[in-house]
Amino acid sequence: MKHQNALTTQNKFIRLIPFLLILCLSNIAVASSSVAILAGHLIDPATGKIRDNQIILINDETIVEVGGKADIPAGAKVIDLSDAWVMPGLMNAHAHLALDVAHFKGKSTAYRALLGAYNASIVLKAGFTTIKDIGDSGNYAMADVRRGIDNGWFPGPTIFDAGDIIAPYGNGAPPGTLSPEAPRSRPGYIQADTVDEIRKAVRRTVFYGANTIKILSENPTYSEDEIRAAVNEAERLGVRVSVHVGGKGVTDVILGGAHSVEHGLFMTDKQRSLMKKHGVWLVPTLFSPEHLKVAKGSSDKRAEKVAEILFDTLQRAHQAGVKLAFGPDIIADLPDKDRAETALATLSIWTAAGIPPSDILRSMITEPAELLGIENERGAIKAGFKADIIATPNNPLENIDALGGVSFVMKEGAVIVAP
Ligand SMILES: [Zn+2]
């Protein structure tokens, strides 16, 4: 009996070998997908505080530990950023990656998807790991760019795509400016003029792949009830609502429960305090006179005037304590700058408006993460968050222009730009 028991034990061990092997191999796999970042200066964009000499441990696409004394697992890949300023990836809450207004006429949606994929790779390499793409991309070009990124065909930022812009009859054109014989609409827009049509438009847009909603409230603006219908329907479908609006229409957008006001020109002090009270974000869609001239063919004088209005909108909102999310409205390619460079050039406008670098960085990471509802998974370097991490050789909290020199980009644990 004793002999038999020994055999049984031996047999049990032999039967266990494959499992032990799998266990060993899986340990090797865990170790090989482990990364340790040595962060010389780790910035928390929510508070503007810096902690020196931190270790960030990453397993696969997730941050698992952050601290001064984290144990680096054997076999982990070590990335030395001990001379750099390290922070979560940047976010842009108002982009049009598949739109180049100067050249999009006569182009197919396929062409625009390729443009979107190209621009997605450009902005990711510059440190933007999350983008809200706010519509006008032909027939859902950006929904397909997002699918391509999700399928792992090519790297890109996390994309929130608005698909068709939901707009009143005429797509926001001033009355009398379109001939009755002109086409009623164009790809990239969906017209909706009643509560029921708005609900249907939200459903349709999400059905075709949008994961956020953009409403254009202009000529005429939507009523509070119409905005609320869009927000209710969007929330039922798990998406959020951004509204292009300015002037009087802003009040209905705030009271209707929208998550953000895009542009927000010509607001009153009363509207700004209402925005603050309701926790609605302003996405101040800044662009330079240079960009405006290329995008809209504006004269020098007109471009300067619009730039002044945009500057005033930003400065007054910041002074009133309105939550701000960075979102430069880049809709055209400039001859000497790519999309990321054009977007980052608008930081000089924030600085000129007297906004401190810590507030600007917060508007580029923490605020958009909250606006997009991803504040528990992205926008901070904490255990359990996705490893979207960037670094700069200079301190952006001293000079925000340091963000123009991003020297390291990690997207969900994958190194996009090596130090
Ligand atoms: Zn826009």
Side-chain angles (χ1 to χ4, degrees), residues 30-253:
V30 168
S32 68
S33 65
S34 276
V35 174
I37 294 178
L38 311 181
H41 315 282
L42 182 61
I43 296 176
D44 176 2
T47 60
K49 293 204 171 109
I50 299 176
R51 284 181 292 159
D52 285 345
N53 301 319
Q54 298 290 297
I55 300 168
I56 307 164
L57 296 182
I58 296 147
N59 193 7
D60 197 13
E61 55 184 46
T62 307
I63 297 165
V64 290
E65 195 178 339
V66 185
K69 287 182 184 160
D71 286 331
I72 299 176
K77 180 184 170 186
V78 176
I79 298 174
D80 185 1
L81 300 173
S82 51
D83 290 332
W85 276 263
V86 179
M87 66 210 92
L90 306 174
M91 303 190 186
N92 179 345
H94 192 116
H96 297 277
L97 298 184
L99 176 63
D100 175 5
V101 286
H103 304 105
F104 86 104
K105 286 193 177 114
K107 302 293 196 301
S108 66
T109 294
Y111 175 94
R112 297 182 65 181
L114 291 168
L115 175 67
Y118 170 72
N119 282 331
S121 90
I122 295 277
V123 299
L124 178 62
K125 284 181 201 152
F128 288 94
T129 53
T130 299
I131 298 286
K132 183 172 72 160
D133 198 275
I134 200 71
D136 203 340
S137 63
N139 265 320
Y140 295 84
M142 285 308 294
D144 285 337
V145 170
R146 183 163 60 85
R147 289 180 184 117
I149 294 167
D150 290 348
N151 289 347
W153 295 344
F154 46 86
T158 298
I159 290 181
F160 286 82
D161 159 52
D164 275 346
I165 296 170
I166 299 170
Y169 194 86
N171 298 339
T177 57
L178 292 176
S179 157
E181 281 127 38
R184 296 291 193 271
S185 193
R186 66 177 173 93
Y189 286 79
I190 176 168
Q191 297 181 348
D193 288 281
T194 64
V195 161
D196 287 346
E197 284 181 8
I198 288 165
R199 280 188 179 277
K200 189 173 178 181
V202 169
R203 289 184 189 184
R204 195 189 103 156
T205 308
V206 172
F207 177 81
Y208 285 120
N211 58 350
T212 195
I213 293 293
K214 155 89 171 279
I215 289 177
L216 187 151
S217 183
E218 195 168 276
N219 292 321
T221 58
Y222 283 119
S223 68
E224 183 187 327
D225 285 347
E226 287 167 333
I227 296 291
R228 188 174 297 113
V231 172
N232 288 346
E233 195 60 37
E235 285 183 341
R236 250 168 44 81
L237 301 175
V239 299
R240 294 193 166 192
V241 175
S242 307
V243 186
H244 161 126
V245 67
K248 281 185 187 168
V250 171
T251 306
D252 288 323
V253 169

Side-chain angles (χ1 to χ4, degrees), residues 94-96 99 134-135 214 244 262-263 285 287 328-331:
H94 192 116
H96 297 277
L99 176 63
I134 200 71
K214 155 89 171 279
H244 161 126
E262 312 282 314
H263 314 292
T285 49
F287 38 48
D329 194 8
I330 310 304
I331 54 175

